[in-house]
């Protein structure tokens, strides 16, 4: 369904943009990771950009939630509050070289958009100024700017936006087109990209973020972006020449090639050091000089006493000591490129002994959490309207303390979040398999066939097959009038969704659930799983069980209490 366009750049547009950008990066994350060859071929640029925007989006949602809670505040935050939250969230959540630069791009935009605090929105000219400040401030944050990177793409976007006339949609479209053209030219500017046969990964991520900006103001997402020279060589005038020994695989319609070793380019520094720093401007200026002498890929972003520091060095201890001399560093993260191990400032190490295998599952209610826990799973509770972030899923994977982990998101909307968490866990040496379960009832089916003694791959295949063979449905109440695949619903109508699509609109919970059940069993089935939410009376389950006994003699039924799960009823048929 097309996104409803925003007319002006106001707080709601900020919220929409963050959500769309997160979705776009989630879709492109693996593709961007695959083309990450500069400055280090560590295959994490897409994941880092996703995590950075996830933090920004969460901060914006928190500001909206604070206003919606009332307490005498306006129902919606101001533009200044929203962009300030976006910039702050990106700053504290920035990951990697490209994520840190993206955080500064968003901060640069926020400085312009928040300048007129009494203005509820801005228009095309205001967006042009914001994009210009973003590109300039990001370039200033990098100690030694290199062309053919995300900096080049950002500058091209700002140049194109500056020449555009019209509203925010026209300016955003011009910026996107300018960025896309610049991205296609990056292999001519950076030899490592040309050798690998790819465009710049950070620039590709920025194009996705700008594409989300276009969708915010026009309601339509731009077309896809080529990632390899097979898609851009005719425009940039270079031949396709993958690196010798590279692993090549199809990625969408383009051929993506990545170097096999995740090692520093040309024998560069061995460690990536990232930390947040509380320090004044003068101390940060001295820190820049100190770190620039220690290594490369130095990016220092932020301001107003809070900074995010990123650098590649051989002496990680010296980089941290420089931060201590400048102020108070925290959330220190040190990654060894050759090994992929991660250390924190507290020197935490997991105990030596791990279990061989664990299941980590997202569950929508306390009752289901107990059911999953009884079956041996580590659970993450997803309360209605509060989906877990990738950091929560990663913490649960760590908490499971296993060498192998099967991850069950149990929600179609969590697939990108779960994939990002899985990628982070793999970087820490944990073998993770993500089974794309779309409902808790599919997770129950997968968990029922889980056998830890089996080989990991065999166990994952069996669990995936069980989940895929389970059709899922839910019965819920419409909150507002809306167009659905079953027609127009009104606020208060009972909706029956089958495999994610509205199939039934009714007035009674039991009748709607029965219609949904009959439609599902029309295609056959051997077992019906019913999960009742707190607001659904037991009589609903009783009548559904009776219906199965009367009309489907060879079908078994099992009923669970899910607690505060959001939906009135969840139904699975396998």
């Amino acid at each position: 369904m097309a996104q409803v366009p925003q007319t002006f750049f106001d707080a709601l547009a900020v919220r929409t943009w963050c959500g769309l950008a997160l979705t776009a990066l989630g879709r492109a994350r693996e593709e961007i990771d695959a083309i990450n060859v500069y400055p280090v071929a560590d295959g994490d640029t897409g994941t880092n950009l996703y995590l950075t925007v996830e933090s920004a989006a969460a901060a914006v949602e928190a500001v909206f939630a604070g206003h919606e809670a009332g307490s005498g505040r306006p129902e919606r935050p101001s533009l200044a509050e929203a962009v300030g939250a976006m910039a702050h969230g990106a700053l504290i959540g920035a990951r990697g070289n490209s994520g840190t630069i993206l955080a500064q791009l968003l901060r640069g935009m926020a400085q312009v958009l928040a300048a007129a605090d009494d203005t509820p929105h801005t228009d095309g000219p205001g967006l042009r100024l914001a994009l210009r400040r973003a590109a300039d401030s990001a370039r200033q944050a990098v100690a030694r700017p290199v062309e053919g990177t995300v900096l080049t793409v950002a500058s091209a976007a700002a140049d194109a936006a500056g020449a555009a006339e019209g509203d925010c949609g026209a300016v955003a479209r011009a910026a996107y087109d300018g960025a896309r053209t610049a991205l296609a030219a990056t292999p001519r500017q950076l030899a490592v990209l040309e050798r690998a046969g790819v465009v710049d990964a950070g620039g590709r991520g920025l194009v996705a973020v700008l594409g989300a900006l276009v969708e915010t103001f026009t309601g339509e997402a731009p077309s896809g972006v080529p990632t390899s020279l097979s898609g851009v060589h005719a425009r940039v005038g270079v031949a396709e020449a993958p690196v010798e020994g590279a692993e090549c695989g199809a990625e969408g319609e383009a051929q993506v090639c990545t170097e096999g070793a995740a090692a520093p380019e040309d024998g560069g520094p061995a460690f990536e050091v990232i930390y947040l720093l509380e320090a004044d401007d003068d101390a940060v200026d001295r820190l820049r000089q100190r770190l620039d002498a220690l290594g490369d890929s130095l990016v220092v972003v932020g301001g107003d006493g809070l900074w995010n520091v990123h650098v590649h060095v051989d002496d990680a201890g010296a980089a941290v000591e420089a931060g201590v001399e400048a102020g108070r560093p925290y959330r220190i993260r040190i990654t060894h490129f050759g090994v992929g191990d991660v250390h924190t400032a507290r020197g935490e190490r997991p105990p030596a002994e791990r279990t061989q295998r664990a299941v980590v599952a997202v569950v929508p209610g306390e009752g289901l959490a107990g059911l999953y826990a009884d079956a041996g799973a580590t659970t993450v509770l997803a309360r209605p309207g509060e989906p877990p972030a990738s950091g929560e899923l990663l913490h649960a994977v760590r908490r499971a303390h296993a060498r192998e982990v099967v991850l069950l998101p149990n929600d179609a909307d969590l697939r990108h979040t779960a994939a990002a968490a899985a990628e982070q866990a793999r970087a820490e040496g944990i073998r993770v398999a993500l089974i794309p379960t779309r409902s808790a009832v599919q997770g129950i089916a997968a968990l029922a066939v889980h056998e830890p003694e089996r080989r990991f791959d065999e166990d994952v295949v069996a669990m995936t097959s069980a989940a895929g063979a389970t059709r899922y449905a839910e019965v819920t109440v419409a909150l507002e009038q809306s167009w659905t695949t079953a027609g127009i619903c009104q606020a208060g109508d009972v909706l029956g969704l089958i495999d994610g699509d509205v199939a039934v609109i009714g007035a009674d919970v039991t009748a709607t659930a029965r219609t949904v059940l009959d439609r599902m069993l029309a295609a056959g089935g051997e077992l019906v799983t019913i999960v009742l939410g707190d607001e659904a009376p037991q009589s609903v389950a009783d009548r559904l069980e009776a219906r199965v006994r009367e009309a489907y003699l060879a079908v078994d039924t099992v009923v669970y209490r899910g607690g505060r799960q959001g939906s009135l009823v969840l139904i699975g048929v396998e």
Side-chain angles (χ1 to χ4, degrees), residues 5 110 115 118 123 152 160 192 214 231 251 278 297 314 325 334 426 435 506 516 545 563:
D118 57 343
D123 51 12
T152 306
V192 64
V214 173
E251 194 71 48
E278 293 179 356
S297 297
D314 280 322
E325 292 176 5
I334 302 172
R426 293 182 190 117
I435 298 178
V516 167
E545 282 189 285

Side-chain angles (χ1 to χ4, degrees), residues 372 439-446 470-473 529 531 570-572 574:
Y372 273 75
S439 169
V441 291
Q442 287 189 322
I444 291 173
T470 303
R471 299 188 68 197
Y472 63 95
T529 300
V531 183
L570 296 176
I571 301 174
E574 52 186 298

Side-chain angles (χ1 to χ4, degrees), residues 131-446:
L131 290 168
R132 179 78 271 163
R133 175 69 69 84
D136 292 345
S137 63
R139 189 170 286 270
Q140 292 165 5
V142 177
R144 299 179 185 275
V146 175
E147 297 307 325
T149 65
V150 63
L151 297 176
T152 306
V153 176
S155 293
D159 291 343
E165 298 291 339
D167 59 11
C168 288
V171 173
R173 169 62 74 174
Y176 173 82
D177 290 341
R180 197 170 185 267
T181 300
L183 176 67
T186 54
R188 282 191 303 189
Q189 299 169 297
L190 205 53
V192 64
L193 300 179
E194 184 175 354
R195 291 198 304 270
V198 297
V199 297
D200 179 65
R204 171 65 182 90
L206 179 58
V207 169
V209 172
L210 291 173
L213 188 64
V214 173
E215 188 175 359
T216 298
F217 294 117
T218 67
E220 297 180 358
S223 57
V225 182
T227 56
S228 72
L229 296 191
S230 61
V232 303
H233 73 277
R235 279 172 283 168
V236 301
V238 293
E240 297 181 58
V243 176
E244 184 178 355
E247 297 179 355
C248 301
E251 194 71 48
E253 296 182 355
Q255 185 76 9
V256 177
C257 302
T258 60
E259 296 178 337
E265 179 67 21
D266 299 327
F271 296 96
E272 178 185 58
V273 179
I274 304 174
Y275 50 80
L276 293 178
L277 177 70
E278 293 179 356
D280 59 38
D281 292 0
D282 291 340
V284 170
D285 288 339
R286 294 190 295 272
L287 175 66
R288 290 180 195 271
Q289 297 175 12
R290 175 85 179 276
L291 293 179
D292 190 31
L294 285 175
D296 59 29
S297 297
L298 173 60
V299 186
V300 181
V301 305
D304 301 322
L306 180 61
W307 308 83
N308 190 306
V309 179
H310 170 279
V311 67
H312 294 174
V313 294
D314 280 322
D315 190 344
V320 175
E321 289 173 6
V324 173
E325 292 176 5
R328 187 179 79 88
Y330 59 104
R331 290 197 191 177
I332 301 170
R333 181 182 177 90
I334 302 172
T335 303
H336 186 267
F337 290 123
V339 181
D341 56 339
V342 178
H343 312 285
T344 67
R346 292 167 294 182
E348 294 174 346
R349 295 290 187 279
E353 292 299 321
R354 290 177 177 268
T355 58
Q356 182 60 31
R357 189 175 310 159
V359 176
V360 173
V362 180
V363 291
E366 296 87 345
L368 282 175
L371 173 67
Y372 273 75
D374 289 344
T378 299
T379 62
V380 179
L381 187 61
R383 295 178 175 82
E386 299 179 22
S390 60
E392 295 176 70
L393 301 188
L394 177 61
H395 178 69
V397 170
R398 290 169 177 160
R399 184 159 45 92
H401 201 58
R403 299 182 184 90
E404 303 167 339
V405 172
V406 180
L407 182 56
L408 306 175
N410 290 339
D411 186 336
D413 291 335
L414 286 178
R415 63 189 185 279
H416 298 318
T417 301
E423 195 66 31
Q424 294 177 84
R426 293 182 190 117
E428 298 179 10
I430 304 171
R431 190 180 186 189
V432 182
L434 171 60
I435 298 178
T437 48
R438 295 170 174 264
S439 169
V441 291
Q442 287 189 322
I444 291 173

